Amino acid sequence: PYSAQGLISASRSPAVTDAMMAATDALYQAIKALAPTIEAAPDPQPRPVMDGVLEDIVYGSTTTGHPPAAPAASVPPGAGTIDTLRRLVRRGGTALLVGPTRVGKTYAVKQAVLAEGARLVIVKGRPGLDDRQLYGGIYPTDTHYQWIDGPLAKAWRAAHAGEHVVLVIDELARLDPYHLAALIGALDPVSGMEVRSMHLPIEVNDQQWYYVLALPNGEDLVAPCPQLSILATTNLGSDYAQLQTTFDAALLRRFALHLDIESLPSDVQHDILVQEHHLPSEVATVLVASAEFSASATA
C-alpha cells in the first residue's frame, strides 16, 4: 500500500529494486516448473496503451510521454547478467551460460563471485580430463601416499564447512560424456531426510536440500544447496572444436537458470575500453579488431 510519493521513492531505492528482482527470479523458477502444463494463448482482452500514466507514477513526471533515456554510463553493458548471477549466488543455485567465445561469460561469473565475496573454485573443461584432476586422487608424499582433493571435492568440503562457494565449470561442452553423466548425479538435489537415510557421519537438517558428490575413493561428500552455487559456461554449435554439440536433457534440467549471452557490438566494446579502462581511442579500435579476428579464427 504505497502512496504515490512512496512509490516514487521506492522505485529509486537499490535495495527495493534488488528485492523485486529476487522476487521475479523466484517467480521465473515457479513458472518454469509449471511451463509444460501451460498452453500459450494470446491475451483475449489486451489492455490499451495509456502513454504517460506509468511514467507519472514511477518517475514523478508531470508531462505525458516517455521519460528521457538515462545516460549510457549509468547502466554498464553486462550489468544485468552480473546482477542476476549475484542474486543466484546469494541463495545458491545452478545456471548455464551459453554464447559465442569472448562475449564475457566467464568474466560475468567471476565479477558476480567477487561482488558477493564468495569462494571461487574453477574446473576448466577439456578433452582427456581424468578423475584425479576433477575429483582428486592419491598422490605420493615424502613418507606415504595420501588423497589430495580436486576442485569438485574442494568445493563440496568448503560448502559443507559453511563457506559460500561458487563452483564454475568452464567450457562444459569440452568434458567427456563420462564426466557429464557423473555431474547429472552430483547436481541432483537430495532432501535432508534422504541424506539421513544414507547413514553418513554428518549432521543434516531434514528441511534442507543437499548436493551429494560420490568420490572415486568411495567417500560421499554432502554440501547444503544454499551454500554451493554451480555455474557452467559453454559454447554450442558446429563452429567449435569440442566433444558435445548438444546436451542431454537430464543435464540441462539440472541448471535451473539458462542465460544466452550475446556478443557485444564493436562500438560498445570500443566504448568500454575508452570510458572504463581509459585507453586511447586508436588503441581501443585496434584491440577490438584484433579480438574479433581472433574469435573468427577460433573454429
Side-chain angles (χ1 to χ4, degrees):
Y2 279 105
S3 64
Q5 188 59 41
L7 182 61
I8 293 171
S9 299
S11 72
R12 295 169 180 166
S13 165
V16 171
T17 299
D18 191 68
M20 288 296 294
M21 292 302 296
T24 56
D25 284 348
L27 182 62
Y28 166 81
Q29 299 298 338
I31 293 175
K32 185 176 179 180
L34 292 172
T37 66
I38 298 175
E39 293 185 6
D43 189 344
Q45 294 180 324
R47 291 172 178 259
V49 176
M50 296 183 293
D51 193 23
V53 175
L54 290 179
E55 285 76 10
D56 289 345
I57 296 173
V58 176
Y59 295 98
S61 172
T62 57
T63 60
T64 59
H66 296 288
S74 66
V75 183
T81 297
I82 294 174
D83 289 343
T84 298
L85 293 175
R86 286 187 64 179
R87 292 190 297 272
L88 183 142
V89 167
R90 284 176 210 159
R91 69 176 187 269
T94 56
L96 176 63
L97 285 72
V98 181
T101 186
R102 70 160 186 83
V103 296
K105 299 186 296 295
T106 305
Y107 172 83
V109 169
K110 290 180 178 179
Q111 289 301 306
V113 174
L114 291 173
E116 292 303 315
R119 176 173 177 174
L120 177 64
V121 179
I122 299 180
V123 173
K124 288 285 188 181
R126 60 177 177 80
L129 191 71
D130 63 31
D131 283 357
R132 294 200 305 175
Q133 296 163 324
L134 195 61
Y135 300 98
I138 297 175
Y139 293 86
T141 66
D142 293 339
T143 58
H144 62 286
Y145 288 84
Q146 69 177 38
W147 173 272
I148 304 295
D149 283 341
L152 292 188
K154 288 179 181 178
W156 255 257
R157 290 192 201 277
H160 177 72
E163 287 192 61
H164 209 162
V165 183
V166 178
L167 173 65
V168 178
I169 305 173
D170 209 12
E171 303 293 354
L172 183 68
R174 296 183 184 274
L175 288 178
D176 293 310
Y178 164 74
H179 289 131
L180 290 178
L183 279 176
I184 292 177
L187 295 177
D188 195 15
V190 177
S191 70
M193 296 182 66
E194 291 178 83
V195 174
R196 189 180 301 279
S197 70
M198 298 177 185
H199 301 291
L200 301 177
I202 59 171
E203 292 292 330
V204 296
N205 181 349
D206 287 350
Q207 306 304 315
Q208 183 65 273
W209 290 85
Y210 298 86
Y211 296 119
V212 179
L213 178 69
L215 297 181
N217 65 357
E219 184 180 5
D220 290 320
L221 302 183
V222 178
C225 292
Q227 297 298 124
L228 179 59
S229 300
I230 303 171
L231 311 180
T233 70
T234 189
N235 310 309
L236 279 182
S238 58
D239 288 343
Y240 300 96
Q242 50 197 13
L243 293 173
Q244 316 297 325
T245 55
T246 60
F247 285 125
D248 185 277
L251 177 62
L252 290 177
R253 283 197 299 271
R254 265 55 178 190
F255 294 102
L257 178 64
H258 295 182
L259 293 175
D260 292 325
I261 310 299
E262 300 295 336
S263 177
L264 295 176
S266 300
D267 58 338
V268 175
Q269 298 180 52
H270 176 276
D271 291 345
I272 291 174
L273 293 173
V274 172
Q275 297 172 12
E276 297 185 15
H277 299 281
H278 311 294
L279 294 180
S281 178
E282 307 80 35
V283 175
T285 299
V286 173
L287 286 176
V288 171
S290 299
E292 292 187 341
F293 174 79
S294 176
S296 69
T298 298

